[in-house]
Amino acid sequence: MTVPPAPTEPSTATATATGPADGDTTATAPAAPAATGASAATGAGAEFAPLSVGPLQVWPPVVLAPMAGITNAPFRTLCREQSGGKGLFVSEMITTRALVERNAKTMQLITFDPSEKPRSIQLYGVDPVTVGKAARMIADEGLADHIDLNFGCPVPKVTRKGGGSALPYKRNLLREILREAVSNAGGLPVTMKMRKGIDDDHLTYLDAGRIGAEEGVSAIALHGRTAAQHYGGTADWSAIARLRESVPAEIPVLGNGDIWSADDAVRMMRETGCDGVVVGRGCLGRPWLFKDLVAIFEGEVDHARPTFADVARAMVRHAQLLGEWLGDEARGVIDFRKHVAWYTKGFSVGSELRVKLANSSSLAELAETLALVEQSQAWPAGADGPRGRTSGNNRVVLPEGWLDDPYDCARPGEDAESDTSGG
């Protein structure tokens, strides 16, 4: 059994993010769920400019955050369709060692749909030479149009080896990595994404922003939390404003953290002066957030309010795309299980059906279970709020002696990079 197609007519939109060689691209996407209801914020209209990332012009100034195990090709496809191809959509984290060694899983993760332009890859690396080799490989082989560097991951398996959000504390190592990436990227724009620091006593973002600007990065994104906060508490948007003030005006600063709606994105830009936003957990189970973002930046004030029937169709399609990408329907449905709670948040589903949905092993089973839920349910109040991980106030696990000297030439060990990607 399958859920029937959504009863909407397809719409066509032109993508405005372009690469140096590709020029404007056109993407055709199915129409998003109907938009109803006035927004709490007025449409931005002509208030904001396109985001310049090297030669790329991104409109609206919105970037899909790299999320391990989430922002694979199927999820990026769903989000791009909702935006009409507008915006910038970044791959999940790619380990530089795995890329250079052409690990099979990693090579699959950097496979883009032909319509996906510009193509963006996020790299994670701790060794400057290996990072440089990975950047050179991407440039020489035309694997992507944009390289983002991960200095923000807070998970213990990364920070305990000196990577992710732990790395900017070592200022000289950060500089070397950025220099190797930029110098080997062959003209591709290189950006960096980071957090405020390790904890409130070890803030690094202003130094890291200065170093990034000196080494030629094309844009800097800041998540307004420390590594110790993980995803708990409230993002500090004032730090984004301070970074914007301290970085040369020609280098865009992007804000990240607590963007749960299109209104939040506009409010962040107005309050901080940042040049664009990076959207992460707010789009989990809600790819149509990108339709809202395009609308509000283009002067509209409506929000998408899908019924449960719309959401069910999106869920089945997401699982189907995963199966096609993985080459196995069952694997795709199993991989989709983690998305179930995000898609169904706020709807009246029932605990037994939620468990059954989260244990589906085929598209037919997933569709049949979804059909048991009341399809006419309206978009529930409060469904736009936080989703995903919310843990915080964790002790950051670091290599022994990591905090002794922020300027020493310590190098993480060879095991700091695994031979696989995706988190």
Side-chain angles (χ1 to χ4, degrees):
M1 174 181 177
T2 59
V3 174
T8 53
E9 295 296 324
S11 62
T12 302
T14 300
T16 56
T18 63
D22 297 310
D24 290 336
T25 60
T26 301
T28 301
T36 59
S39 159
T42 58
E47 180 179 352
F48 301 108
L51 172 66
S52 297
V53 182
L56 306 178
Q57 294 295 304
V58 181
W59 180 257
V62 173
V63 179
L64 169 64
M67 291 181 282
I70 303 295
T71 56
N72 46 39
F75 187 74
R76 296 196 305 270
T77 294
L78 293 172
C79 294
R80 286 175 53 251
E81 287 177 349
Q82 294 293 326
S83 76
K86 299 179 180 182
L88 187 64
F89 301 86
V90 187
S91 76
E92 56 187 304
M93 186 180 77
I94 302 298
T95 303
T96 54
R97 173 185 161 193
L99 181 61
V100 169
E101 295 178 356
R102 298 182 183 274
N103 173 273
K105 176 184 176 182
T106 296
M107 299 310 289
Q108 180 191 28
L109 290 177
I110 63 167
T111 300
F112 294 89
D113 185 89
S115 65
E116 193 169 356
K117 294 180 181 179
R119 302 158 300 164
S120 295
I121 289 178
Q122 187 187 65
L123 294 179
Y124 162 77
V126 297
D127 173 61
V129 173
T130 305
V131 171
K133 288 180 179 178
R136 175 60 61 184
M137 178 178 169
I138 291 171
D140 287 350
E141 299 181 19
L143 300 178
D145 306 301
H146 160 233
I147 297 171
D148 185 53
L149 298 176
N150 181 321
F151 300 114
C153 182
V155 302
K157 71 175 183 180
V158 170
T159 60
R160 72 162 45 97
K161 297 177 180 179
S165 54
L167 197 145
Y169 187 76
K170 298 296 187 182
R171 274 70 164 176
N172 292 334
L173 176 59
L174 174 68
R175 184 181 295 278
E176 288 183 36
I177 289 175
L178 291 171
R179 182 171 297 176
E180 287 292 325
V182 172
S183 64
N184 282 283
L188 297 181
V190 175
T191 60
M192 60 188 290
K193 186 172 185 291
M194 60 184 181
R195 285 181 171 241
K196 288 173 57 181
I198 292 174
D199 54 34
D200 288 339
D201 294 324
H202 301 90
L203 299 178
T204 58
Y205 70 103
L206 294 179
D207 276 354
R210 173 181 56 81
I211 292 168
E214 292 171 354
E215 295 304 326
V217 299
S218 295
I220 303 170
L222 176 64
H223 184 153
R225 287 181 171 88
T226 63
Q229 286 180 279
H230 280 225
Y231 298 94
T234 302
D236 178 12
W237 289 7
S238 68
I240 299 168
R242 285 193 292 273
L243 181 65
R244 175 62 284 173
E245 292 170 354
S246 68
V247 170
E250 64 270 18
I251 299 177
V253 168
L254 288 76
N256 177 224
D258 293 352
I259 296 177
W260 309 112
S261 69
D263 294 343
D264 291 335
V266 170
R267 183 167 58 87
M268 175 186 278
M269 293 187 68
R270 288 172 175 163
E271 291 183 7
T272 69
C274 67
D275 305 280
V277 297
V278 180
V279 180
R281 292 175 298 147
C283 66
L284 295 177
R286 195 180 172 219
W288 44 87
L289 175 57
F290 287 93
K291 177 183 183 296
D292 290 350
L293 288 161
V294 171
I296 200 168
F297 278 103
E298 295 188 348
E300 301 176 16
V301 294
D302 287 342
H303 280 182
R305 290 292 183 265
T307 65
F308 188 81
D310 296 320
V311 173
R313 282 186 284 269
M315 292 173 71
V316 172
R317 182 150 187 276
H318 192 168
Q320 181 178 3
L321 288 172
L322 281 167
E324 293 171 354
W325 181 65
L326 293 169
D328 183 277
E329 176 186 307
R331 286 181 61 199
V333 175
I334 291 171
D335 189 75
F336 176 74
R337 290 173 177 175
K338 60 177 170 278
H339 296 270
V340 168
W342 299 325
Y343 274 106
T344 59
K345 179 180 178 179
F347 286 101
S348 179
V349 177
S351 58
E352 291 186 6
L353 286 181
R354 287 183 188 276
V355 171
K356 190 172 182 180
L357 287 170
N359 287 284
S360 298
S361 56
S362 70
L363 286 173
E365 182 181 0
L366 177 64
E368 289 168 1
T369 306
L370 286 167
L372 298 176
V373 181
E374 175 54 53
Q375 302 293 294
S376 62
Q377 290 184 69
W379 183 252
D384 293 334
R387 57 196 65 216
R389 293 169 291 183
T390 58
S391 59
N393 299 318
N394 295 295
R395 182 178 67 88
V396 183
V397 183
L398 299 167
E400 185 176 355
W402 191 252
L403 298 178
D404 291 349
D405 183 352
Y407 294 99
D408 71 9
C409 295
R411 290 287 188 277
E414 291 185 0
D415 64 342
E417 283 194 42
S418 67
D419 59 358
T420 58
S421 299

